[in-house]
Amino acid sequence: MEVTARAPGKIILSGEHAVVHGSTAVVASIDLYTFVSLRLSTSENDCTLRLLLKDVGLELSWDVGKIKAALPESDGFDSSTPTTCTREFSEAISALVAEQNIPEAKIGPAGISAFLWLYTSIRGFEPATVVVKSELPLGSGLGSSAALSVALAAALLASLSPGSLDSSKQGWLDFEDDKLDLLNRWAFEGEKILHGKPSGIDNTVSTYGSIIEFKSGNLTMIKSNLPLKMLITNTKVERNTKALVAGVSERTLRHPEAMASVFRAMDSISTEFSMLIQSPATDELAITENEKKIAELMEMNQGLLQCLGVSHAVIETVLRTTLKYKLTSKLTGAGAGGCVLTLLPSLLSGTLVDKVIAELESCGFQCLIAGIGGKGAQVSFISTS
Ligand SMILES: Nc1ncnc2c1ncn2[C@@H]1O[C@H](COP(=O)(O)OP(=O)(O)O)[C@@H](O)[C@H]1O
Ligand SMILES: C[C@@](O)(CCOP(=O)(O)O)CC(=O)O
Ligand SMILES: [Mg+2]
């Protein structure tokens, strides 16, 4: 039997970075997914754990006996209790990753470390083949790290207890509500390896889907009464979330009072953003008024992200370009490159949207409009017998 899980990426509509420091943020899942397929080995002579990372063209493999010998002694694994990768395990896992001699240009090693931690913690030392493939651009602010952790944990947990899902059914199956919390907590452990100090917002929206107001680990699912159409522009400037999150924490240590004020302002912006998108807007006039306020909040949010030191010249180029068309933009995710969101008001003509996209793409950027607020993690079973 093979199990495939899929987990969506996300756009942070308001409050990135500040959310790591306890402020409110608003996030939506997008209809671009990371897929993880898991096939346990059926051959007695096979002792290999294989990891195929299709997006970066890497095929890695380890002897499961060697993995067991390399990791510190432990009381055994317990898939029902998500545990944090300790420094001792992290060092042993880094050594297992290093021995694969991965070309640095291909990928940051943290994703592979997160894989080894989640795999060995949930499934132990069983030989298997795991294939990862994503529709998301990696390291661009659309949450590929969380989608990887969620899809991986989902495939592993589903393979352990397929009975809790109706595996005779075709197509994508939802997890039961009580399993979602376990899945989310495991994915958070993966995201810790990838982000250093994650807020948990990305793994939460990738697990549950929808639009979520998030603060200090608590989520509230919300329903938008606005169309909230966002143009996503990928600047293709690569950056690393872990380094950017650490940079904001260092700035916070240097200027605690000033940064606390910025985080408070971000909290107010996100709270108002959430309230505005939920407020009943029955006619065109009310929708337009609320969209204007949303645009203003996005502009303020972007200004504060600049205060945190996470904007970038290329992001400013996108802001200037969209402003020529009287459109408002903000970076999304960790910033310093990656993706930028532009609000497309509901009355905006299709011709104008085409024009702004053409101009952005002439700068070498890539534009897309994703569906937002859809389903979270799901699994599918394929019988290989
Ligand atoms: N499909 C994938 N294949 C391999 N590694 C991945 C994949 N998706 C995510 N990763 C890991 O996540 C990292 C990017 O995460 P991050 O810097 O948090 O950016 P984002 O989450 O915005 O995409 C990559 O460098 C890699 O380690
Ligand atoms: C900057 C942050 O708020 C979001 C990072 O998102 P991404 O990895 O850039 O997709 C970090 C976090 O919340 O864990
Ligand atoms: Mg990430």
Side-chain angles (χ1 to χ4, degrees), residues 295-340:
E296 227 163 41
L297 290 173
M298 285 173 66
E299 190 180 68
M300 288 155 76
N301 194 349
Q302 172 61 30
L304 294 173
L305 287 162
Q306 205 169 5
C307 286
L308 299 184
V310 297
S311 195
H312 186 279
V314 78
I315 293 173
E316 304 297 327
T317 303
V318 178
L319 299 187
R320 264 199 320 277
T321 308
T322 57
L323 200 58
K324 280 203 251 169
Y325 299 85
K326 297 194 168 55
L327 297 175
T328 310
S329 306
K330 72 171 270 290
L331 69 84
T332 190
C339 288
V340 179

Side-chain angles (χ1 to χ4, degrees), residues 10 12 16-17 19-20 141-143 195 198-199 201-202 239 241 333-334:
K10 54 88 222 221
I12 297 184
E16 46 275 270
H17 283 291
V19 67
V20 175
L142 299 186
H195 280 193
S199 64
I201 192 170
D202 289 3
R239 78 306 164 279
T241 300

